[in-house]
Amino acid sequence: QVQLVESGGGLVQAGGSLRLSCEASTFSFSSMGWYRQAAGRQREMVARITRGGSPNYTDSVKGRFTLSIDNAKNTFYLQMNSLALEDTAVYYCNFVRGWNNYWGQGTQVTVSS
């Protein structure tokens, strides 16, 4: 079992920035990334990286969001810049290890006008 602890959500005005963190109990992984679910919407992939690969992003966040990894801290991040109202959602970190899929508890990001 892998435990994931998220932090960094909050309220921000449109055009502002936030950085989300996900701390893992182990850093042996197949892929990791960030997903979000807005009220009344399906959960969608935001950013994802596989071991040995480069990050992939959903089209709506390309150029604004960046996924990064700190191996020494067993932590990965989502830097979110130029936030828009449409980015408001609960954000979940995701960690895949072999055939197992793990999720953080979720953190609320609210973008105001």
Side-chain angles (χ1 to χ4, degrees):
Q1 193 76 10
V2 177
Q3 288 188 308
L4 305 175
V5 179
E6 299 183 40
S7 61
L11 175 65
V12 65
Q13 292 212 116
S17 298
L18 286 173
R19 189 180 74 162
L20 306 182
S21 298
C22 184
E23 301 178 20
S25 58
T26 181
F27 229 47
S28 177
F29 67 94
S30 300
S31 68
M32 59 178 64
W34 293 92
Y35 293 71
R36 68 186 180 188
Q37 187 166 18
R41 302 287 191 271
Q42 296 277 351
R43 185 175 298 188
E44 66 171 339
M45 188 275 289
V46 176
R48 180 173 174 267
I49 186 169
T50 58
R51 181 175 292 280
S54 299
N56 295 310
Y57 303 93
T58 193
D59 286 344
S60 64
V61 309
K62 286 180 179 176
R64 301 189 298 123
F65 291 9
T66 303
L67 187 156
S68 62
I69 300 169
D70 187 335
N71 289 294
K73 295 182 177 180
N74 283 6
T75 300
F76 60 104
Y77 306 92
L78 185 68
Q79 178 67 46
M80 305 185 293
N81 298 326
S82 301
L83 283 162
L85 296 178
E86 294 76 21
D87 297 315
T88 295
V90 178
Y91 284 71
Y92 299 89
C93 60
N94 172 257
F95 191 95
V96 178
R97 189 181 185 187
W99 290 48
N100 299 116
N101 198 26
Y102 304 95
W103 296 92
Q105 80 279 10
T107 185
Q108 177 71 48
V109 172
T110 301
V111 183
S112 68
S113 60

